[in-house]
Amino acid sequence: MIVSIYYTHCICRRVKFLSNYIFKRKKSISLSRNRVMFVFFLNKIYILLHPNFKLYKTMYKTVGIIGLLLIIGINLTITAQETPGWARETKGEKEKRMAWWTHDRFGMFIHWGIYAVPGRHEWVKQRERISDADYQKYFDHFDPDLYDPKEWAAKAKAAGMKYVVLTTKHHDGFCLWDSKHTDFKVTKTPYKKDLLKPFVDAFRAEGIRIGFYYSLIDWNHPDFTFDRIHPGSPSNPEERKIANEKRDMKKYQKYMKDQVTELLTQFGQIDILWLDFSYPGENGKGHQDWDSEELLKLVRKLQPNIIVNNRLDLSNTDWGWDLLTPEQFMPKEWPTWNGQRVPWETCQTFSGSWGYFRDEYSWKSVNQLVVMLVETVSKGGNLLLNVGPTARGVFDDRANERLEGIEKWMKFHNRSIYGCTQAPEGFITPNNCLLTYNPETNRLYIHVLEWPFKTLHLPGIRGKIKYAQLLNDASEIKFWSNTQEGGSMTEVSGANDVMMSLPVERPNVAVPVIEIFLK
Ligand code: GLC
């Protein structure tokens, strides 16, 4: 009797261990059959070495069968994750669909909603645990009387931004357009008018591509269940469970589909859909909660050329996203997926928060922002740089200053950004520099972050340069190589290196750029 209890206990422990391992892995990006086999192998050794070997032998058979069934199950899951018919697209087709985006490199993110009224971060409702009733005052006082999207569009254009992504709805659920499916929308505020149509028209008129951000999260919708980040969530798990019984994510899924349908059918061609965000795991939400596959299918049907980000919790597929979205950090190198470099876009703020935050004092300098843009492109990525307009409907001075600084730089240097990417294999980045490269024109751009005295040493580039100039004024930069030691007054380069003669005075721009015409 004791033996059989112990035996059952052992089986349970083994099965628990295996299933824990497998199911934990299943969520992660790279589930591989090899890993599962590896666990079985470990399991086998553990059993062979165990003093109770005989007992384990029988147990092992049982576990083996269960394990086999699990493997079959996993294989079925893998098969089920194969690209659905509607999502099939060749690599070339995808590249073509994304060509304008890959070329343009620089976009404006805009976070705007009633959270601009408190002016304390777009998550203010969550951070301060504000009840629906108390949050209502921001709705009741939202009246952006100075809103002029033409002015916004002109600023974005001047700064060299080629696309825009606006929060049509953020996590608080407030909608910037006259959605048929809710009353929590701008047309019911004192402002009364739709904000979105004039926005789209103004940006389009400037030749800027249109992107909509749509929050998957909704802290206002009565069917959106309480979870670990919901500001209204009861902290007691039992109470939360009871409260959630009245909520129905199926209904919320329908609401999202209806709203996304409005967004993708009433405003002409939409170039980007930026869905935000998934937080799977305990008391979180992921693809099953959003019905991600069906949502994406709808999106692709309504706007076949649209570009969609990667926050639907479909990251373990290669069809459920178009780009990676590192947020508020600079990846150390071009991000990869399954060993391949993939399209990516870092989204960044001026000051830390996305929505208008009056009292935030962590604003980045123009110089930092320009370097951020260059560094992004030097790693083959895009930059989506955010502005959080005020509740009056304007960009505040601090944002304007930065946009103007970027404009000043972009006016003379956008050639090192548009159409550019990481320098080809073999090019070595000189000290304190960042390289970008335009494959169309075969030009290399050296962004000199720290201006050296007189000579810039370029390792390994000898014989590859046809001509070089400063980009800000198109003035020639002479270059030469010299391997002969000639005493105290002779500069020497390595055999494959080049020395560039720089003016002693650094050009008066945020980041000076040398344009190299390659042979
Ligand atoms: C995060 C935040 C959000 C912001 C977004 C931008 O997901 O929740 O406030 O909109 O990032 O990337």
Side-chain angles (χ1 to χ4, degrees):
M1 173 69 179
I2 292 171
V3 171
S4 75
I5 290 174
Y6 176 67
Y7 170 64
T8 321
H9 166 75
C10 287
I11 292 183
C12 291
R13 262 183 42 204
R14 296 280 71 215
V15 170
K16 194 173 159 215
F17 162 68
L18 285 168
S19 59
N20 265 350
Y21 183 90
I22 288 159
F23 288 112
K24 229 167 55 207
R25 287 281 143 204
K26 215 182 88 182
K27 289 226 151 84
S28 82
I29 293 173
S30 55
L31 169 82
S32 83
R33 280 157 237 214
N34 293 345
R35 278 198 202 165
V36 178
M37 293 318 292
F38 178 64
V39 173
F40 272 95
F41 184 62
L42 280 186
N43 185 40
K44 195 168 179 173
I45 294 182
Y46 170 62
I47 286 163
L48 285 173
L49 293 178
H50 200 280
N52 251 334
F53 176 61
K54 265 193 189 154
L55 176 71
Y56 268 97
K57 220 171 143 189
T58 340
M59 190 192 87
Y60 179 62
K61 273 187 198 156
T62 325
V63 172
I65 292 166
I66 295 169
L68 220 87
L69 289 175
L70 277 173
I71 290 184
I72 293 167
I74 289 159
N75 280 340
L76 286 178
T77 321
I78 292 169
T79 323
Q81 284 173 358
E82 263 172 19
T83 314
W86 58 266
R88 280 198 194 125
E89 189 181 35
T90 64
K91 200 166 167 250
E93 282 165 347
K94 181 169 176 182
E95 271 170 22
K96 205 166 147 215
R97 181 165 57 81
M98 295 190 68
W100 71 264
W101 182 90
T102 311
H103 174 274
D104 288 351
R105 291 296 183 212
F106 192 24
M108 178 181 271
F109 216 171
I110 301 180
H111 276 65
W112 201 35
I114 55 173
Y115 43 75
V117 179
R120 299 193 297 273
H121 202 280
E122 76 285 356
W123 276 56
V124 64
K125 191 179 187 198
Q126 201 267 3
R127 288 180 156 200
E128 299 179 13
R129 299 269 154 190
I130 303 175
S131 67
D132 290 348
D134 286 342
Y135 201 65
Q136 183 64 26
K137 63 174 177 280
Y138 304 130
F139 184 92
D140 294 341
H141 289 93
F142 187 67
D143 189 9
D145 57 328
L146 299 179
Y147 175 54
D148 178 4
K150 290 196 188 110
E151 198 179 303
W152 293 10
K155 285 176 199 247
K157 173 143 189 194
M161 290 149 159
K162 297 278 198 179
Y163 59 96
V164 68
V165 179
L166 171 71
T167 51
T168 57
K169 179 190 92 166
H170 203 260
H171 307 338
D172 64 1
F174 178 73
C175 298
L176 263 49
W177 80 103
D178 190 18
S179 172
K180 255 198 350 233
H181 308 285
T182 183
D183 278 340
F184 200 51
K185 59 182 173 183
V186 64
T187 45
K188 296 278 179 185
T189 66
Y191 185 69
K192 291 197 178 74
K193 290 167 280 177
D194 164 45
L195 294 168
L196 198 52
K197 182 74 173 51
F199 175 92
V200 169
D201 292 345
F203 277 78
R204 229 177 241 146
E206 290 286 11
I208 296 175
R209 299 250 190 183
I210 307 297
F212 287 162
Y213 169 110
Y214 180 81
S215 174
L216 298 164
I217 301 164
D218 195 317
W219 298 326
N220 182 67
H221 198 282
D223 282 306
F224 188 89
T225 51
F226 294 120
D227 56 31
R228 65 173 187 257
I229 63 167
H230 195 302
S233 221
S235 46
N236 177 316
E238 218 18 67
E239 280 174 36
R240 184 190 296 164
K241 211 174 134 210
I242 294 166
N244 275 342
E245 278 162 13
K246 294 193 207 89
R247 295 175 171 245
D248 181 357
M249 282 299 282
K250 285 265 170 290
K251 285 195 193 145
Y252 177 65
Q253 288 168 6
K254 165 134 185 4
Y255 175 73
M256 283 201 292
K257 286 185 191 120
D258 289 343
Q259 286 209 318
V260 165
T261 303
E262 286 182 335
L263 290 171
L264 300 187
T265 54
Q266 295 176 7
F267 301 90
Q269 183 187 316
I270 303 305
D271 302 290
I272 298 169
L273 184 64
W274 225 94
L275 297 165
D276 200 31
F277 68 97
S278 299
Y279 43 110
E282 212 183 329
N283 291 321
K285 287 192 171 67
H287 62 96
Q288 280 160 344
D289 302 282
W290 316 129
D291 194 16
S292 293
E293 189 170 334
E294 285 304 308
L295 184 60
L296 187 60
K297 185 177 171 187
L298 173 73
V299 169
R300 297 258 186 245
K301 188 181 100 196
L302 298 175
Q303 295 272 349
N305 293 319
I306 204 162
I307 294 173
V308 184
N309 69 338
N310 68 332
R311 297 195 176 180
L312 272 169
D313 186 32
L314 293 173
S315 304
N316 57 343
T317 72
D318 60 3
W319 48 266
W321 52 279
D322 288 327
L323 58 128
L324 303 186
T325 54
E327 177 175 328
Q328 305 239 42
F329 72 91
M330 180 61 63
K332 68 180 195 327
E333 59 196 8
W334 191 328
T336 56
W337 189 84
N338 260 356
Q340 302 275 319
R341 285 175 174 173
V342 287
W344 67 279
E345 171 188 75
T346 178
C347 47
Q348 303 276 0
T349 61
F350 282 151
S351 63
S353 70
W354 299 90
Y356 178 64
F357 198 137
R358 185 190 59 203
D359 302 336
E360 197 161 51
Y361 298 103
S362 41
W363 286 71
K364 298 167 186 79
S365 67
V366 168
N367 205 71
Q368 279 176 307
L369 294 163
V370 169
V371 172
M372 183 187 273
L373 173 61
V374 172
E375 188 169 355
T376 305
V377 179
S378 80
K379 295 170 182 173
N382 282 28
L383 174 63
L384 188 59
L385 187 56
N386 183 73
V387 183
T390 70
R392 295 292 299 274
V394 298
F395 295 175
D396 90 335
D397 284 350
R398 296 165 294 182
N400 284 330
E401 254 172 55
R402 273 131 191 108
L403 287 171
E404 282 155 22
I406 295 170
E407 169 186 349
K408 223 167 144 193
W409 187 83
M410 282 294 274
K411 177 170 179 190
F412 296 103
H413 301 96
N414 67 36
R415 243 156 56 198
S416 77
I417 300 295
Y418 303 142
C420 289
T421 187
Q422 182 163 319
E425 209 63 23
F427 284 95
I428 303 167
T429 308
N431 285 342
N432 298 318
C433 292
L434 288 168
L435 296 181
T436 65
Y437 170 73
N438 187 325
E440 287 276 309
T441 59
N442 194 28
R443 292 184 198 176
L444 183 74
Y445 296 93
I446 307 181
H447 303 78
V448 189
L449 306 183
E450 273 302 319
W451 197 247
F453 168 60
K454 243 172 48 177
T455 307
L456 179 68
H457 290 270
L458 307 186
I461 201 172
R462 191 169 182 181
K464 294 187 186 162
I465 305 175
K466 199 156 65 185
Y467 184 75
Q469 62 182 9
L470 272 177
L471 193 49
N472 59 295
D473 62 359
S475 61
E476 181 183 7
I477 295 283
K478 291 193 170 169
F479 58 93
W480 86 109
S481 306
N482 175 35
T483 49
Q484 295 292 306
E485 288 288 348
S488 325
M489 284 168 210
T490 312
E491 272 190 277
V492 177
S493 61
N496 297 315
D497 307 344
V498 160
M499 294 181 282
M500 289 207 147
S501 293
L502 301 186
V504 172
E505 266 189 57
R506 176 189 185 279
N508 186 23
V509 296
V511 176
V513 182
I514 299 165
E515 182 175 48
I516 296 182
F517 297 66
L518 293 168
K519 282 186 184 156

